[in-house]
Amino acid sequence: MTFQSTSSGFGTADQVAFHRTELGVILSLYGRMVAAGEWRDYGISNLREVAIFSVFRRTAEHPLYRIEKRPKLRGKQGQYAVIGMDGQILKRGADLRQVLRVLERKLIRTVQ
């Protein structure tokens, strides 16, 4: 597990973070992907405008996927997004479970 946090000196009040229930949903998917042998490590970054859950196949590698929470986009495209290794947005929306389904489809293909 890798944890990374950045602060601008004003404490944690100015940082975006995943709520416990959001982390529960993400970690449930993470556990299934680890069991399938697809994912191996993760990192969490809490920044000023975005919280990022990065998923790695191997440690010290570029993330395979980034799950981002950007509250400022809540009223527009939705605050959650899954972004691929190449920076392409794979899915964006207001419902975290719906957004993560793009990754669950990869799990179904892996198990077959």
Side-chain angles (χ1 to χ4, degrees):
M1 261 183 286
T2 308
F3 292 98
Q4 178 182 357
S5 180
T6 304
S7 178
S8 60
F10 299 103
T12 58
D14 63 338
Q15 293 178 341
V16 175
F18 287 105
H19 187 271
R20 181 180 301 219
T21 56
E22 294 166 327
L23 277 175
V25 171
I26 295 169
L27 289 172
S28 174
L29 173 63
Y30 176 80
R32 289 181 299 200
M33 293 300 264
V34 168
E38 290 295 306
W39 296 352
R40 198 154 170 196
D41 200 8
Y42 70 89
I44 298 176
S45 300
N46 298 315
L47 306 173
R48 175 165 252 181
E49 295 187 14
V50 61
I52 305 169
F53 186 97
S54 301
V55 177
F56 300 89
R57 187 177 310 252
R58 292 180 193 87
T59 308
E61 200 178 67
H62 291 290
L64 288 174
Y65 301 103
R66 291 188 332 259
I67 301 164
E68 294 189 355
K69 175 183 178 181
R70 292 181 182 268
K72 286 188 177 180
L73 296 179
R74 184 179 297 137
K76 298 176 183 171
Q77 304 110 325
Q79 68 177 338
Y80 302 108
V82 173
I83 301 169
M85 182 185 282
D86 58 358
Q88 180 181 6
I89 297 173
L90 304 176
K91 182 89 171 167
R92 181 183 293 280
D95 184 325
L96 180 59
R97 290 180 196 275
Q98 285 289 101
V99 172
L100 292 179
R101 285 196 178 154
V102 72
L103 298 174
E104 288 178 356
R105 280 194 284 259
K106 295 178 184 307
L107 178 62
I108 292 169
R109 282 189 221 131
T110 301
V111 171
Q112 292 177 351

